[in-house]
Amino acid sequence: MTDRTPRRHSARELIALLADGSHQGFRELPYPTREFKLDGPLAWQGYDTVRAHATARTGEEESVVCGTAHIDGTPAVLIAFEFGFLGGSLGERTGDRLESAYEYARAHRLSVVPLVATGGSRMQEGMLALTQLQRVARQSVLTREAGLPQIAVLRDPTTGGGWATLGAGADVVLALPGAQVGFAGSRVRPADADPAAYTAEAQVAAGAADAVVHPEALRETLALWLRLLNTGSAGATGAASTATARPTEAAPPPPPLRTAPLPTTGWDAVQRARSPQRPRAEAYLDAYFTRRAAISGDRCGGTDAGMACGFGECAADGRTVAYAAQLGTATRPAGYRTAARLIRLADRLGIPVLTLVDTPGAANDAAAERQGAGAAIADLFGAVAAARTPVTTLLIGEGGSGGALALAAPGSTWATSDSYFSVIAPELAAAILKRPEGEVESTADQLRIRPQDLVELGVVQGIVGLP
């Protein structure tokens, strides 16, 4: 083991690290029984001996340990892979255990926490091993439809089908630092492949995982995520729980961070929205939430530092509210896709959503077009339109065209006195109309973009932060 190689906890060591009451707080679930013929379903010579050696070495009878535990008071089903047992590989008996664990979670309305460390499917069981991925995928989908969260932890290594189902298929994906993470394991990838691309850090940078978490912070981080995402699950709007769902109350708009008179002209509104002195999204989020946890990435290969998304504990009443906030930059396609992902997850869990609009508009460079800007914006419009959970919007700065409107909730949008909303930036409007530069300010007035204009036009419901 080099200094850069992460320590590999056994399944039960990690369970003891996370569960309340140490290892005694973990209750292992009963496992289905499956009898194999000699050397397994393929009669692979020596398979029984290999399994016996794995059991003697690890003390486990299969590559996964499943049970229930409380993590800082919140119950969950833990699925811990034992990499020492045949590389944490998936076989038929592994599939039996995973299916049973997911069924238990749904029956008892518990979150599922896969602690993944696997090299893939078990060769000694051939295609029967590979088809376990279909079983796992179905269980994950049924759990998602039941409105229950899935929070995966990627350990070293997480490769193959285990990454492509239990890992990448989770709602929130955390990873231990330095873990090998990728669909291709180290022995099957191209010889000239850059190993840095197959790491936890690379997957976060590519938008495939949410965060790297050090082992000493893992229990606290998981506990926060479980508390936040379980707040709404009793009233989730997922397909399996619609009949008993409680109405979800809308999140209130954030209170004003300062009082200011309304802008006198359209150009005054633009200048105030662009002023570096006005409050930005981070200030609103800090005031609105006592604590929060962020998601990152669009799961399509991209991230956008100008879009902050996650879940937080509302300071006003302690409930969980999801948030998607533009940070004042031109929003990139990955930002729109990440916000859409956030809204759909909140909708499934019955958690209200707060959005903060602040962008000069969508990124319009060539890279943005190649990354599917139009499709990403359309996807966000669709997510907001389809949401059954309430979405509340506060316009806190620039509202630049459709790139801003995509994040706004129809009929539930408020504005600050430091903001404007426009079909197009005044400078661009003047240029399109072939007006001289000196007419930009009068064009801003014609567009009627001041907060009070927006109220009169019915675009926003009201203005916060008036004297």
Side-chain angles (χ1 to χ4, degrees), residues 295-300 302-309 323-345 355-365 368-369 371-384 398-408 421:
I295 68 167
S296 175
D298 62 0
R299 299 300 185 260
C300 300
T303 60
D304 180 6
M307 179 74 80
C309 295
Y323 64 87
Q326 291 167 319
L327 304 184
T329 59
T331 305
R332 305 205 64 81
Y336 292 114
R337 284 190 286 260
T338 304
R341 172 190 158 213
L342 180 281
I343 290 169
R344 291 190 176 107
L345 174 57
T355 66
L356 301 179
V357 172
D358 184 12
T359 178
N364 57 6
D365 52 45
E369 292 298 336
Q371 293 159 8
I377 295 169
D379 189 41
L380 180 54
F381 268 119
V384 172
E398 290 195 84
S401 194
L405 188 66
L407 199 60
F421 223 145

Side-chain angles (χ1 to χ4, degrees), residues 2 142 176 186 192 216 232 254 278 286 334 356 378 449:
T2 68
L142 291 174
L176 298 182
S186 59
D192 61 350
E216 56 270 23
R278 70 158 171 86
D286 287 344
L356 301 179
I449 59 180

